[in-house]
Structure formats: structure tokens, C-alpha cells
Amino acid sequence: MLIKIMDILAGLKMTIVSGIFLLCAVMCMVSGIESPIDPAWGAVIISGIPLFYLALYRLIFEKWVSSALLITIAMVASLVIGEIFAAAEVAWIMVLGALLEDWTVERAKKGLKNLIELTPQTARLICNENGKKQEKIISVDEIKIDDVLRVLPGEKIPVDGIVIDGDSSIDQSVITGESLPVDKSDGDEVFCGTLNMYGVLDIKTTSLSENSSLQKLIDLVKQGDEKQAPTQRIADKWATWLVPVALIIAAAAWVATGNIERGVTVLVVFCPCALILATPTAVMAAIGQATKHGILIKSGEALENLGELNTITFDKTGTLTYGDLKVSDIIPTGDFIENEVLAIASAVENLSEHPLAKAIADKAIDENIAVEKVSNFKMYPGRGVFGINSKGKIYAGNLNYIKENFEISDKTNTYLDNLNSEGKAIIIVGLNNQVIGIIALSDVIREESQSVVENLHELGVKTVILTGDNVKTANYFAKQVGISEVHGNLLPNEKLQWVEKFKKSENKVCMVGDGVNDAPALKTANVSVAMGSIGSDIAIDAADIALLGDDIEKIPYLKRLSNSTLFTIKFNIALSMMINAIAIICSVLGLLNPVTGAIVHNAGSCLVVLNAALLYDRNFDKNRIHSHYHYHDDGKHAHSHENVEILGEIHTSEGVKHIHSHRHSLKFKSHCSKL
């Protein structure tokens, strides 16, 4: 009950009432009107009582000498010498500063709260009743695995699932941070909480509501406030020892000058409100800023560590690359052309479950190549496959398997050496008595990987690859993206050991990965980043930061954001200490009284909070996508802009309304661009 009363008194409405009392006191002083009861007492009671309660509670029950205690002492001292207005002002402005901090934090957390509010409560279940398909509205709690659900345009996807019928565009921005809608059709994955924009979709449930991708995000959100940032902890310690220091200086000023008012003024201006507000407001604003960009930062500590890092270690597969093998080369070595080699190889690979075989079969489908069925199919695990059709006896497999049946020419060996140097997987195709071709497969580098590495180097960050792939493959990909230091053939514990080795060399290390094998290294690094979409649950749990849309282009953004956050924290701390130091000197000299001292001090606190809040809306991206609508009466869609993509169109009576986007570079002239 008492806590509820304190919450009410310290709330916005009562703070406004307290401010009205304070304003009335000012009007009485200015007009010379004498009131039987000073209106400032209203502010003292409303704003001072919660402050007094908080100070005593922390001191008695938490054994914590907090800033609230120093402010309470200043308030009581002001009352003792008859400075009611000063006491009221100290209490009111402190409560106002706390509300301002709460406003900043809540504003910063808006994106996080939206995640929690996104969970749909109902779903359209497709069921058979009396031999007919019918729609039935059910609670999301009633949904079972493999249930078929229908999602209409404008509705949110109720659970994670796979599209089994229909085509549409999905707004996935709440999950991935993507600015543009994503096209979905049969076989595509959809996520809980995302918005179906156009067509009707039937989806098959793959996870229940409590295990959905959105719920996992919500669970991560709840972890966001569990850790305090190191700078924040330092500020708290400062607040603890500042109390006795303030009392000593205030007593000395009183004794030296014989004026108790100067001692009280010292107490008023010595309150470390701005110092304590400096870090949490900046951290929460930065976390909120990152959330808008599809990045989930679990703690302020991770954010600060990111600002101090000088080394980033990358996993390769699924991080710098997409993690999917694709056919990259088809090299005929006999009398057949490329498509014929692919058709012959696909005839036997179609029947294999091996990932390389599937990639070859998919390539044939993509090229619309007719594939003849085979008989007498045989699979030799770890080696290759065999089959017979009208072309003859078909062999497809690794070098050792092919050598058992064919002579390998010098020309073929040269091709193999070149492909091996590029780190590609190789399938050799033989027909009857000759090798007819080579099919090479390779992981695909993310388009943005090279620019990410370049941006990190510009920021003074060393980049390293730690991968389980062989060294040749790793070196090939490293060369493509501009990374010079590579360590391959690593087991999970060896990745961890390399991270520890870098840390022992006085490096601040960030690990970026996506798989289960990356989890130990992610846990060991000073700060870690996981690919939130394709990454394993274990990797995401182990990491401090999750990229919800697998956009590694956000890593340089994170570094710039963290650098700017640290700069803001240090600037705010320096500003608050400077204001306090000047105010203390002025108080001792008699240039400030309790009333004016309170104004100066608390104005500094408000300035610190507002400066931190600016982080939330500041732009740290070098590239931005923006979209807008255009109307054309003639129905033409031509544009002179560069890099313009037409996203969709709607025919209206006013003409054709279509949306397009373009990407452009942003250059910053402020200090943020250098951080």
C-alpha cells in the first residue's frame, strides 16, 4: 500500500500538481503577496515524501548510500534554514528529472515493447467438417503442429509456418528490420507476427505460439535489462562516496564562512543526479536505436564492449557467406557441352540425398534441362553414385572414385587444381569409358561482405576468419572479402582457443557466427554477434547481440553506434562534473544560494538526459533505403533516378500509384562519422 502511494506521488500527474504549487510560490514571491501557508509546502510534501522514502529504504534495507540520500539531506537542510522554496525546488526538479529519464527509457524501449504487442491472439483454422473445408476462428493457444491456417490480406501471421498455397508479400520489418516486403509462395517460411500485405495464404504450422520466432525475440527482449553497463556501475559507486565528500565540503564551507546557507547550497549543487543519469539514458537510447534497425542488444555491457573492440573474428559459412552450396562451374572435358554434362550428372544425382547432389539437381531444374531416368542406381557413401540410361554407364563422384574407373588426363588435373585453389567442392562426371566433365560447387559470398570488411578497417578494426572449412577454401573467400588473417580446419574448442589467444594479447574481441559450433567462441569473446534469422538457437542464446535479419552490413553500424554512445556517456559525465565543480565554487563564494543552486544543478541533469536521448534518432547508417509513392496520369513508370526498384503498383482513378525505393549514400560531417 505504501509503495503504491509513493508511486502515485512520484507519478506524472502529481508531479504536475507539485509544479503548480511551486509556480504559485514563485508568483507570490514576485508579486509580494503574503500567504498564510507557503504554496511551496505543497511541492515539498508531494515530491519530497517519495524522495525521503526512497533514500531511507535504500539505506536501511539495501544498505545503499544513494544519491537520493544526498538530495534528501539537501532538502531537509534547506527546510531547517527556512528555505522552503529551495527545498521544494530540489525535490520537484529531481522528481522531474526521474520522469524525464523514464520517458527517455520508455521511448527507447518502444521498439522492444512493440514486439511483445505483436503476437496475434486468434487464427483461421482450415478444417474438414462433413467432408467440406471450413474456416474456424480459434485461439492461438489451440493451434497444433501441422495445422493448416489461412491468413487474409492485412492480417498478421499467427505462428511460424510453411506456405502450402497462395502467393503474397509479407512485411517482415518487425522481425528482420527489412524495409521492403518479401515475396512468399509455396514452400517459403513465414514468421509469427509478420504482416500479410496482399494475397491469401494457407500455411502449415511448424511451431507452436510459445516456441515461435516472435516469442524467442520476446524472451531475448526480457534479458535486455539484466546486466548493468560497466560505466553505469562506476557512476553508482561515485554516487556512494560523493555523499560523505559532499557533507565534508558543506561543513567546511559553513565553518569557514560562518554562513550555514553556503553549506546548504553546497549540498544542493553536489547532488550527483546528472552523473547517475549519464550512462543508463545513453545506453537505453542506443539499444532502442538498434532495435529500430533489426538488431537486438541484450545488455548495456555488450554495447560498451563493442565500442572498445579492436578485433572482429568471423565464422565463414552462413556469416560471410550464405551457407548454401550452388553450382558455380560446369567444365566439359570431352565431347559434350555444358548442358549435356549437367543433364547426364543430374540423371544419377537426382536419386541421391547428398547436399552436393541436391545442388546439381536443382541447377538442372533451374536451367529447364530434361533429365532421363536411370536404372541400376547405386550409391557409394563418401565416394559417388552410379546409374545406367540410354547414354550408357554414368559415374559421378570424387576424384578417388573416378580414378577407380577412368584415366585422368593432364588437362583435367589442371582444371581440378585450379578449382581446388578456389576452395570449391568438385564432382567429376564419367560416361562409359571417359571423363566428360567437371561440376564445381561453391558457397556464395554475401554481396555486402566486402563492404563490411572495408568499413571495419576504416574504423580501425582488425578482421579475422575462424572457420571449420579447409584452409584453401577459407583463404579463397578471405581474399574475396579483403581479410588477410585466416585460421581454418578449426573445431569448436579451437575457435574458442583463438578467441582467448587474441584476448590475452590485450585485444578486445568480437565474435560473429551463426552455428552451434560457434557457441563456445561466442560465449568467450568480449562481445558476440549472432545471425538471428538463419543462426541456430544455441548461437543466438550464446551471443550478446542478434542480427534479426542476418544483415552483416549492420556490424559497422553497430560499431559506430557504440562509439558514439561511449562518447556521449563520457561527455555527459564530464559535463555533469564540470557543472557541479563550478556550482560548488560559486556556492562557497556566496554567488549561489539554495534556490539558484538547485536551478543550476538540475538544469545540468536535464541537459544530460536530453543529450542522451538524441542517440535514439541519430542516423549511423552510411546507406539508407527510402520509399515513397508517385502518381502518374499516363500510367508510365519510367524514372531517371539511379538504383530505382519498382516494388508494386495500384491502378486508381487518379492514375497509377506505385511505390519505388532507391539507396543512396549518406556522409556525416559530425563527430559521429569519425567514431
Side-chain angles (χ1 to χ4, degrees):
M1 183 65 181
L2 183 60
I3 295 175
K4 288 184 178 180
I5 294 173
M6 295 300 113
D7 288 340
I8 293 172
L9 289 175
L12 178 60
K13 292 181 180 178
M14 293 307 294
T15 301
I16 293 173
V17 174
S18 178
I20 293 172
F21 276 115
L22 200 60
L23 181 61
C24 291
V26 173
M27 293 174 65
C28 288
M29 286 191 299
V30 173
S31 63
I33 298 174
E34 293 186 6
S35 175
I37 300 176
D38 193 333
W41 276 109
V44 171
I45 294 170
I46 294 174
S47 299
I49 289 177
L51 196 63
F52 185 79
Y53 169 81
L54 179 63
L56 288 182
Y57 183 88
R58 287 177 174 175
L59 183 63
I60 297 172
F61 296 102
E62 298 179 359
K63 312 299 180 186
W64 179 13
V65 180
S66 66
S67 61
L69 179 61
L70 181 54
I71 297 163
T72 299
I73 293 172
M75 180 181 66
V76 172
S78 297
L79 291 174
V80 169
I81 65 171
E83 291 286 355
I84 300 171
F85 181 82
E89 189 179 41
V90 169
W92 182 77
I93 296 181
M94 181 58 190
V95 173
L96 182 64
L99 287 174
L100 184 60
E101 179 192 9
D102 290 341
W103 173 79
T104 304
V105 171
E106 289 302 313
R107 184 169 180 260
K109 286 183 174 180
K110 185 178 178 181
L112 301 179
K113 282 189 171 181
N114 287 343
L115 288 175
I116 298 174
E117 296 170 356
L118 282 172
T119 308
Q121 300 303 310
T122 60
R124 299 176 183 271
L125 177 67
I126 305 298
C127 54
N128 286 312
E129 292 187 5
N130 301 322
K132 296 182 179 179
K133 283 188 177 181
Q134 295 186 3
E135 292 182 19
K136 182 180 178 182
I137 305 296
I138 63 171
S139 168
V140 291
D141 296 331
E142 300 177 51
I143 298 174
K144 300 180 179 67
I145 298 293
D146 293 334
D147 275 354
V148 178
L149 308 175
R150 179 159 293 169
V151 186
L152 302 182
E155 293 182 343
K156 292 176 181 176
I157 309 292
V159 292
D160 292 353
I162 301 291
V163 177
I164 59 173
D165 189 30
D167 299 282
S168 186
S169 292
I170 304 295
D171 181 355
Q172 298 185 157
S173 58
V174 297
I175 298 294
T176 66
E178 293 172 291
S179 343
L180 307 178
V182 180
D183 293 335
K184 300 288 185 179
S185 58
D186 291 5
D188 290 334
E189 188 178 11
V190 291
F191 305 105
C192 175
T194 57
L195 180 65
N196 182 21
M197 300 180 67
Y198 304 121
V200 178
L201 292 178
D202 288 350
I203 65 172
K204 183 166 73 172
T205 302
T206 57
S207 70
L208 302 179
S209 177
E210 62 267 22
N211 298 320
S212 69
S213 54
L214 181 59
Q215 187 58 50
K216 290 178 182 177
L217 292 185
I218 292 171
D219 293 339
L220 289 176
V221 167
K222 293 177 180 177
Q223 301 175 22
D225 295 327
E226 289 182 358
K227 298 181 182 178
Q228 277 191 319
T231 306
Q232 187 173 345
R233 290 194 291 267
I234 292 171
D236 291 339
K237 291 178 181 178
W238 285 359
T240 300
W241 64 257
L242 278 175
V243 174
V245 172
L247 292 173
I248 292 171
I249 295 177
W254 179 15
V255 173
T257 63
N259 187 342
I260 191 174
E261 186 178 271
R262 296 191 186 188
V264 173
T265 306
V266 170
L267 290 175
V268 170
V269 301
F270 218 116
C271 298
C273 309
L275 182 64
I276 294 175
L277 295 177
T279 298
T281 52
V283 167
M284 289 310 304
I287 289 176
Q289 154 87 231
T291 303
K292 293 194 300 180
H293 287 75
I295 303 166
L296 189 61
I297 302 175
K298 297 183 185 180
S299 70
E301 185 174 3
L303 184 67
E304 291 194 37
N305 285 338
L306 192 64
E308 296 174 351
L309 71 88
N310 54 20
T311 303
I312 292 185
T313 59
F314 289 96
D315 172 53
K316 181 187 74 69
T317 306
T319 303
L320 294 173
T321 70
Y322 287 105
D324 293 323
L325 287 174
K326 302 289 184 183
V327 173
S328 60
D329 305 86
I330 301 175
I331 304 174
T333 58
D335 301 326
F336 297 89
I337 62 175
E338 288 185 13
N339 281 356
E340 290 174 330
V341 172
L342 181 59
I344 292 169
S346 297
V348 288
E349 298 290 15
N350 268 334
L351 301 177
S352 173
E353 294 296 319
H354 194 279
L356 297 183
K358 288 183 175 295
I360 293 172
D362 289 342
K363 178 66 174 178
I365 294 172
D366 292 341
E367 298 293 331
N368 293 316
I369 293 175
V371 178
E372 183 183 347
K373 292 183 179 180
V374 299
S375 59
N376 296 333
F377 174 78
K378 294 180 182 179
M379 180 182 292
Y380 302 94
R383 298 169 64 212
V385 290
F386 170 84
I388 301 174
N389 63 13
S390 63
K391 299 289 185 183
K393 297 179 179 179
I394 303 171
Y395 303 80
N398 59 29
L399 181 60
N400 291 331
Y401 174 62
I402 297 299
K403 278 183 175 180
E404 295 175 359
N405 300 278
F406 303 93
E407 290 281 337
I408 306 297
S409 68
D410 292 340
K411 182 180 179 182
T412 300
N413 277 323
T414 301
Y415 285 134
L416 293 175
D417 290 340
N418 292 335
L419 294 171
N420 279 319
S421 68
E422 295 176 358
K424 296 179 178 180
I426 298 171
I427 297 293
I428 305 172
V429 184
L431 179 66
N432 295 322
N433 59 0
Q434 65 172 329
V435 174
I436 64 169
I438 302 169
I439 298 177
L441 302 96
S442 175
D443 198 353
V444 181
I445 297 175
R446 295 180 185 270
E447 293 85 353
E448 63 272 22
S449 292
Q450 184 177 357
S451 65
V452 167
V453 173
E454 289 175 354
N455 286 332
L456 289 172
H457 290 170
E458 289 175 3
L459 291 167
V461 179
K462 174 185 176 182
T463 54
V464 181
I465 289 180
L466 303 178
T467 180
D469 278 355
N470 66 74
V471 176
K472 278 188 177 181
T473 301
N475 281 326
Y476 173 77
F477 282 101
K479 186 178 179 181
Q480 301 303 305
V481 300
I483 296 178
S484 58
E485 184 171 350
V486 179
H487 303 281
N489 295 318
L490 300 180
L491 297 173
N493 65 308
E494 292 172 324
K495 287 187 178 183
L496 181 151
Q497 289 168 6
W498 271 107
V499 170
E500 288 180 334
K501 185 176 180 180
F502 287 131
K503 289 173 67 177
K504 288 178 181 178
S505 302
E506 297 184 356
N507 291 297
K508 290 285 187 178
V509 183
C510 173
M511 175 68 190
V512 184
D514 71 303
V516 175
N517 64 323
D518 299 320
L522 290 169
K523 274 291 188 183
T524 304
N526 297 104
V527 61
S528 51
V529 180
M531 313 295 280
S533 177
I534 66 170
S536 72
D537 291 343
I538 294 176
I540 294 171
D541 289 342
D544 301 304
I545 300 169
L547 303 180
L548 306 182
D550 290 338
D551 186 1
I552 63 168
E553 215 168 13
K554 297 300 184 183
I555 293 177
Y557 156 83
L558 271 171
K559 176 62 176 170
R560 288 190 288 269
L561 172 64
S562 182
N563 286 350
S564 190
T565 302
L566 288 180
F567 177 87
T568 300
I569 291 171
K570 292 173 182 178
F571 177 83
N572 283 348
I573 290 175
L575 178 64
S576 65
M577 293 180 70
M578 183 182 67
I579 292 174
N580 277 18
I582 294 172
I584 290 168
I585 294 171
C586 292
S587 300
V588 173
L589 296 176
L591 301 177
L592 294 175
N593 58 38
V595 174
T596 55
I599 293 175
V600 171
H601 170 264
N602 287 287
S605 298
C606 293
L607 184 63
V608 163
V609 173
L610 290 173
N611 185 47
L614 294 175
L615 281 169
Y616 182 75
D617 291 316
R618 198 175 298 168
N619 182 44
F620 299 94
D621 264 339
K622 284 190 173 181
N623 296 295
R624 180 189 296 172
I625 292 179
H626 74 245
S627 305
H628 50 274
Y629 288 97
H630 280 277
Y631 289 91
H632 298 271
D633 293 330
D634 59 3
K636 295 180 179 180
H637 302 162
H639 288 274
S640 60
H641 306 303
E642 294 183 1
N643 302 318
V644 171
E645 179 185 3
I646 304 297
L647 304 176
E649 64 181 31
I650 304 172
H651 295 270
T652 70
S653 58
E654 303 177 25
V656 178
K657 179 182 181 182
H658 71 274
I659 188 171
H660 77 265
S661 73
H662 65 271
R663 185 184 297 267
H664 61 90
S665 179
L666 296 176
K667 298 194 182 259
F668 303 99
K669 295 183 179 180
S670 69
H671 70 272
C672 299
S673 63
K674 300 176 182 178
L675 299 176

